[in-house]
């Protein structure tokens, strides 16, 4: 098993280039099915979730060629199956985007019940509601979700809850349906907008992405294209917090500062200095931070995916900070690990109360999910001395070259292979 060894207490300084957005890319790869043609994708993050989706595309007959580390050529003219194999699909949550794209192009999609980070209940009723409204039936057969339609027809769909996944899946399914679909109460995240832009570049007619209402005029005239994926808002936010938490000074390049406003504003409130320019943000840390309260919400609110990293920073902020999780039932597992590092945190359901301590201490900890892992990396960089972080496969699902990027900023982090029995003794 692999672990990170971190010798913390050193400020991160320098510049870091942000990769393509994971949450956009994991929807855009399945969306290439709609083209039935060749798509060249640029700025694709080289992470394990993307490697799994490449395998999924190949498994249904697409040909995928790497043109470089971040460029993929995907030919979906040869797709000859509407079934994502169970063992592949369960590896990640976003495999469910193949439901929307296969349904749209072939009238049928079969995908296993999705896996992904354990953040509490993660229903897909709103995805199915959209498919059903467009005329598809759904059934669960031996843990495979099967959606089928003789004919997809545009509809007016009002989502009961704001869901990134359901909004994107509905856009995929409606893109090739007959007539016009109107989606209301939709998610407005930058990755939703990016997927809409990609669909339009392939010939779709999707308008309004980024607002509460999306209108899609269905077309069968989809085609290949070349498309560059938007920068990763969450990776950028993670490095912004890392700069502040380690009292460092980092230029974060290849970002869209508008997508980062909620984190920029919170970092300023606690006492960091954040300067924005065209495609960069510059974060300079302070000696001590003041406490603050955070409530996570759909975009443009504070993103749930950045609350764990902000939690790490708030461990040592002066006074009492409260984080209220507005999206997921169970997103505070990382707090138990931070407590092992000397943090003072009380968790009650969706609310965590942080009493600022002077400093964090090194400890052996484990990543419980992707963003929890990022929070522990930041906490370990804050704590003077050597920490060990286990279960790092979660972190590597979502961050490109995290070790290399932190080392280039002067952080002391190494990935090591640890024998299983040594790990058992540590916990
Ligand atoms: C996406 C992100 C994830 C992020 C989340 C919220 C990807 C690959 N993942 O996840 O990193 O934490 O958005 O910003 O993009 N819900 C339902 N029924 C549904 C769908 C969702 O009740 O059919 C609920 C969920 O339980 C949750 C809320 O809606 O409480 C938001 O979920 P959603 O936006 O769908 O999250 P994901 O798309 O899974």
């Amino acid at each position: 098993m692999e672990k990170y060894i971190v010798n913390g207490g050193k400020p991160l300084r320098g510049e870091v280039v942000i990769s393509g957005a994971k949450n956009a890319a994991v929807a855009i790869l399945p969306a290439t099915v709609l083209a039935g043609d060749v798509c060249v994708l640029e700025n694709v993050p080289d992470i394990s979730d993307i490697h799994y989706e490449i395998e999924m595309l190949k498994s249904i007959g697409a040909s995928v060629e790497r043109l470089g580390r971040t460029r993929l050529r995907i030919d979906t003219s040869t797709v000859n199956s509407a079934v994502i194999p169970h063992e592949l699909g369960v590896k990640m949550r976003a495999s469910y985007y193949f439901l929307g794209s296969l349904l749209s192009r072939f009238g049928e999609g079969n995908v296993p019940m999705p896996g992904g980070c354990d953040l509490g209940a993660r229903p897909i009723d709103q995805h199915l509601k959209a498919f059903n409204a467009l005329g598809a039936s759904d059934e669960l057969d031996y843990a495979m979700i099967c959606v089928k339609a003789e004919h997809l027809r545009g509809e007016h769909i009002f989502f009961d809850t704001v869901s990134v996944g359901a909004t994107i899946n509905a856009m995929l399914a409606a893109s090739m349906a007959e007539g016009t679909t109107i989606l209301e109460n939709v998610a407005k995240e930058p990755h939703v907008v990016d997927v809409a832009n990609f669909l339009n570049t392939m010939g779709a007619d999707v308008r309004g992405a980024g607002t509460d209402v999306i209108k899609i005029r269905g077309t069968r005239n989809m085609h290949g294209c070349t498309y560059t994926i938007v920068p990763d808002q969450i990776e950028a936010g993670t490095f912004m917090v890392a700069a502040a938490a380690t009292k460092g000074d980092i230029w974060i390049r290849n970002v869209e500062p508008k997508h980062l406003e909620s984190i920029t504003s919170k970092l300023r409130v606690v006492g960091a200095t954040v300067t924005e320019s065209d495609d960069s943000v510059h974060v300079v840390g302070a000696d001590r931070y003041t406490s603050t309260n955070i409530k996570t919400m759909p975009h443009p609110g504070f993103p749930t995916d950045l609350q764990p990293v902000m939690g790490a920073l708030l461990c040592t902020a002066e006074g009492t900070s409260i984080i209220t999780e507005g999206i997921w039932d169970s997103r505070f597992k990382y707090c138990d690990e931070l407590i092992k590092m000397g943090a003072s945190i009380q968790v009650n359901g969706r609310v965590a109360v942080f009493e600022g301590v002077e400093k964090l201490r090194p400890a052996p900890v484990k990543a419980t999910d992707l963003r929890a892992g990022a929070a522990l990396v930041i906490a370990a960089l804050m704590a003077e001395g050597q920490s060990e972080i286990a279960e790092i496969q979660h972190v590597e699902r979502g961050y490109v070259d995290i070790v290399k990027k932190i080392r280039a900023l002067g952080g002391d982090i190494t990935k090591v292979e640890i024998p299983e029995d040594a790990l058992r003794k540590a916990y």
Side-chain angles (χ1 to χ4, degrees), residues 1-2 391 417-427:
M1 179 169 285
E2 290 177 324
E391 310 278 340
E417 182 73 37
I418 304 280
E420 291 282 333
D421 55 339
L423 266 181
R424 269 194 292 277
K425 277 181 211 143
Y427 299 102

Side-chain angles (χ1 to χ4, degrees), residues 67-117:
L67 303 177
R69 182 152 186 226
T70 60
R71 289 183 84 213
L72 291 177
R73 180 186 186 279
I74 303 174
D75 183 354
T76 55
S77 64
T78 49
V79 171
N80 53 19
S81 162
V83 183
I84 299 295
H86 190 271
E87 68 281 7
L88 268 177
V90 289
K91 287 185 191 287
M92 58 184 287
R93 190 150 188 86
S95 53
Y96 58 31
Y97 290 132
F98 282 100
L99 281 176
S101 64
L102 288 166
L103 177 66
S104 204
R105 178 153 165 227
F106 299 110
E108 179 178 350
N110 300 269
V111 171
M113 283 297 278
C117 286

